[in-house]
Amino acid sequence: MDRRDFLIHSTGTLAGAALLPSLELAGPRRLREPRAVAVVGIGRQGRQIVQELSQIEGARVTAVCDTDPERLKAAVERTPGVEGFADHRALLDRRKEIGAVIIATPTHLHRAIVDDCLRGGRHVYCEAPLAHTAEEARAIADAAATAEPGKVLFQSGFQGRSNPVYQLARSFFRSGAVRDLVSMQAQFHRKTSWRFPGAAANWRLDPAVTTGLAGEVGAQQFDVCAWFRGRLPVSVAGRGAIRLHNDGRRVPDTIHTTLLWDDGVALDYEATLANSYGGQFEQLHGTNAAIKLAWSHAWMFKEADAPTQGWEVYATRQQFHNDEGIVLIADATKLAAQGALKKGMGLPYTGLYYALGDFLKSIEEAAPPRCTAQDGLRATVLGILANQAVTTGQQLAVPAGL
Amino acid sequence: MGTRFELVLVGDDAERHRPAGEAALELILEAHRRFTRFEPSGIGAHLARRAGAPVAVDPDTFGLFADAGLVWRRSEGAFDLTGAARAMNTLHLDPAARTVTLTRADVELDFGAIAKGHALDLAAALLRNAGVESAFLHGGTSSAIGIGTPPGEPGWRVALGSESGASTTLLRDQALSVSATWAGNPHPTVDPRTGESLKGPRRVAVVGPSARLADAWSTAILVSGQRPTLGPDWSIWIAEIS
């Protein structure tokens, strides 16, 4: 063992012992028993899901479903040992041995499929947001609550909750690492048209069914902030515009929203399809430190007058212009033991991989899902309200009791 | 793949072309994530973790392994995914079951000499499928594909070097791969048969119907200095440059 290895081990041990007694491995997910899984909806997201599942040991995608014959044919050709269905009901009827279904259709089509799956006694992973209206999202949550209690598991696809780096950062946050929260800031920046080859795929730009940038993207990030805080905001304001893609669309390509909590702390959120600078992140600013979350990475930035904790001495640091960030590494000890820490400080897998892994693990262990139907309902409604605030320009109250 | 990819799509239907170009770039990024040797989520690390067991893969990925095996055999080991003498013997392909087996966990697969071409082939197929009839794609300027022709031209004209007077070639529904060694510093490419760094300076260009095969062959020829017989669809340039 060289000196560097020793420091890495020490860092992991100290940080882990102080803050993370039960954090799971950030490395590969494995199931004890092989499990057959179906994926309904195999557009871009569905394809990604099939790809991630192929890396989870024991997960077997044995059926896929899509109403688009070309996409279905391509998916069947790509995926070894898979049967294709044009109708999810036929899939559920004919493949009784498939106990878990992952739903990745356009948002407004989720509800009917979720209902059929739950009624058929299948475990369901439903992509986020759950639905395009609050009523439909509530109906999904109700159906999940009444489906064979304890036997049928429903996981909402809000991925931050399964992300090992986010879990680590949240434990820092909840233990007071930033002290008093001052404000939050988050963004999603990408330069892309949000159109896809093939006309049928452009439901995101259909004002009748889309939840816009706030619902389709923002809800994931709103959920992270609300989950860190442990409670929902009380109001949402917003505005939006078309800054680049002036191609006849009516859905804004750039939005700003403000989510306000009962203690006066606000989350300022910006999403745009017209500029990619800075990518996607969430920041929590406290009186002692700030935490920056960027999906595969997280950092903590200390104020000069904040007390130093013992483990920080050994921590890995990264320079950002004038600031020095302490890298928050999930499972530092185990990764160091595998020699994986040296290769990079980010997560080895995507957020989607961990979320799907959690879903299948929860089924196997009969454990509660990492993100429940109620969690999904709350985040979905936040996204829908934010989208309404953007389109109407009004400030909207988050319903009490949500 | 640690390099810049650029796509030029010719046409006046921006609403059709832009999404097609974005989707093609997404595919290239996907291929990057799949064939990186630096992440445990890459296919190489996945095969190593499951060493000894057949791993089912999609047809595109199987095609890459099949082509890599073909060039390895025909070049007598001058191209090798494992970067070491005869280590390609540790890879077993089953075309009927479409599985790949890596027999040893300690073999690190390096797709650096084939992944760029593979990604370009996938991107070009997507663009053609989306109705794009004229386009030029390249990865790091060393691998390229010309789809159709630019308006009013017989093909996409590419210079096979940056010096004035460098040979040029015309690409029309063809792929190009260029590999070179330079005088001076040891080249990062190692001859897998001997373990020694390549000596230069030499430049090899290969033009043919597949960017993936062109990539693998340009490396194999650079290493071996031997000119293989590849068939009527292929052209090979070998230049000892000064």
Side-chain angles (χ1 to χ4, degrees), chain B residues 5 16 22 35 49 51 87 102 134 155 175-176 179 187 217-218:
Chain B
F5 281 77
R16 193 165 55 116
E22 288 168 354
F35 295 104
R49 271 198 304 275
L102 186 62
S134 169
L176 160 75
S179 296
H187 193 263
W217 273 118
S218 71

Side-chain angles (χ1 to χ4, degrees), chain B residues 151-230:
Chain B
E153 300 283 335
W156 296 90
R157 185 175 300 277
V158 183
L160 303 176
S162 53
E163 69 278 8
S164 66
S167 316
T168 62
T169 184
L170 274 183
L171 297 182
R172 178 175 182 169
D173 294 316
Q174 280 167 311
L176 160 75
S177 174
V178 180
S179 296
T181 51
W182 309 98
N185 297 333
H187 193 263
T189 301
V190 166
D191 185 338
R193 301 166 304 179
T194 63
E196 285 173 21
S197 286
L198 297 191
K199 295 182 184 65
R202 175 185 286 162
R203 184 189 293 147
V204 174
V206 177
V207 169
S210 148
R212 184 167 75 196
L213 274 172
D215 249 14
W217 273 118
S218 71
T219 299
I221 297 166
L222 184 76
V223 167
S224 68
Q226 305 288 316
R227 181 186 292 269
T229 312
L230 294 182

Side-chain angles (χ1 to χ4, degrees), chain A residues 31-49:
Chain A
L31 304 179
R32 283 196 303 268
E33 299 289 333
R35 182 169 296 276
V37 180
V39 179
V40 179
I42 35 170
R44 234 160 51 129
Q45 184 68 5
R47 245 191 18 235
Q48 192 63 38
I49 286 168

